[in-house]
Amino acid sequence: MTIIYSNYILKLLLSLFTIYYLFIIYYLIYVIFCYIILIVFADCPAGRKYSGKSADICKGNDTGSASIRQEGSTKFGKNYKWGTFPAVSVAWNIVEENFLKDVSSLSALKIRAGFGITGTEPYSPYMSLRSINFNDYAYYDGTWIKSVHPSSNTNPDLRWEKKEELNVGLDVGFFDNRLTGSIDYYRRTTKDLIWEYNVPSPPYLFPTIQANGALLKLWRWKPIIPVLLPL
């Protein structure tokens, strides 16, 4: 009977390892496929977008999660079509620690923090490409003819706008959470904002160009807001 159970356990383990390795192979094929598609459509202005994600979660009084996401879009210049965006969050449930077990009035005490980066695409799929205008006319040899002239400059270095967000908070509760409150600190930093800048012409064909360059910061405090529930 012991041999039979051992065989079943061995077969189960082999099946689990097979599924695990098949999943890894599938994920690698998916990533390679996304890269090939992006290369094939590298000059396509349709704004295709591809992404991948992985995550890890811990457990216990100290909890946390982490992820990293890679996204690609044909809306950007040929040198910066891909962006990598990590994120991490942690929390410490202090009230569950042994040194606070005897504090009967304290029912909740948690410190939490999170940081992440996200990306923003351009609103137009043609910002990194050179475009031309056919709407004007020129007088030539006694006849008005349509003229062709550039209406935007190419920018192979147009890249993702990135938002870095940090959030740190404290949650407290007393008397079986009849009295609760929280305090939060929030900060957002937006880097590489896409903007239209003036450039000399020549050497550029058009006097403006879409490029990254601006920086925007935002932060705020959210104070403790007591909430008292009836007994």
Side-chain angles (χ1 to χ4, degrees):
M1 184 66 67
T2 303
I3 297 176
I4 296 175
Y5 283 131
S6 299
N7 290 335
Y8 278 125
I9 293 174
L10 181 60
K11 289 180 180 180
L12 179 61
L13 291 175
L14 289 174
S15 299
L16 291 175
F17 276 107
T18 302
I19 295 173
Y20 174 75
Y21 283 111
L22 286 175
F23 175 79
I24 293 178
I25 294 172
Y26 168 79
Y27 183 77
L28 290 175
I29 294 174
Y30 169 76
V31 172
I32 294 172
F33 173 77
C34 289
Y35 272 98
I36 293 175
I37 292 296
L38 189 62
I39 292 173
V40 171
F41 295 99
D43 296 323
C44 177
R48 292 176 174 83
K49 180 178 179 180
Y50 311 94
S51 64
K53 182 179 180 181
S54 61
D56 186 21
I57 300 176
C58 304
K59 61 181 180 179
N61 293 338
D62 305 326
T63 60
S65 64
S67 66
I68 183 168
R69 187 178 72 257
Q70 189 176 49
E71 294 188 5
S73 173
T74 56
K75 291 183 177 181
F76 296 101
K78 63 180 181 180
N79 297 333
Y80 291 95
K81 292 189 180 297
W82 287 92
T84 303
F85 309 105
V88 61
S89 63
V90 293
W92 181 20
N93 197 10
I94 308 176
V95 75
E96 297 294 335
E97 299 294 341
N98 292 327
F99 59 84
L100 287 179
K101 290 292 186 180
D102 296 331
V103 184
S104 58
S105 60
L106 184 66
S107 52
L109 180 60
K110 179 187 289 186
I111 298 176
R112 47 187 167 73
F115 176 80
I117 301 177
T118 58
T120 303
E121 291 183 284
Y123 63 86
S124 171
Y126 302 100
M127 283 186 173
S128 66
L129 305 177
R130 178 179 291 116
S131 59
I132 56 176
N133 192 334
F134 294 89
N135 295 330
D136 293 338
Y137 289 83
Y139 189 75
Y140 176 75
D141 196 20
T143 306
W144 288 95
I145 61 174
K146 273 186 174 292
S147 64
V148 178
H149 62 86
S151 58
S152 67
N153 292 304
T154 182
N155 184 3
D157 295 325
L158 188 69
R159 56 189 180 274
W160 290 83
E161 288 184 0
K162 291 188 176 181
K163 294 180 182 178
E164 299 179 357
E165 295 181 306
L166 172 67
N167 189 301
V168 181
L170 174 68
D171 300 321
V172 295
F174 300 94
F175 312 115
D176 293 329
N177 287 332
R178 291 188 176 90
L179 179 63
T180 61
S182 64
I183 185 171
D184 283 273
Y185 171 75
Y186 174 80
R187 186 189 70 191
R188 172 189 287 179
T189 302
T190 305
K191 298 180 178 179
D192 296 330
L193 280 169
I194 298 176
W195 197 257
E196 187 176 55
Y197 296 93
N198 295 323
V199 292
S201 177
Y204 291 93
L205 297 177
F206 196 71
T208 62
I209 189 172
Q210 297 287 343
N212 305 85
L215 178 69
L216 180 64
K217 290 186 177 182
L218 171 67
W219 62 89
R220 70 176 182 178
W221 282 95
K222 181 181 178 183
I224 290 179
I225 303 175
V227 177
L228 182 62
L229 298 179
L231 296 175

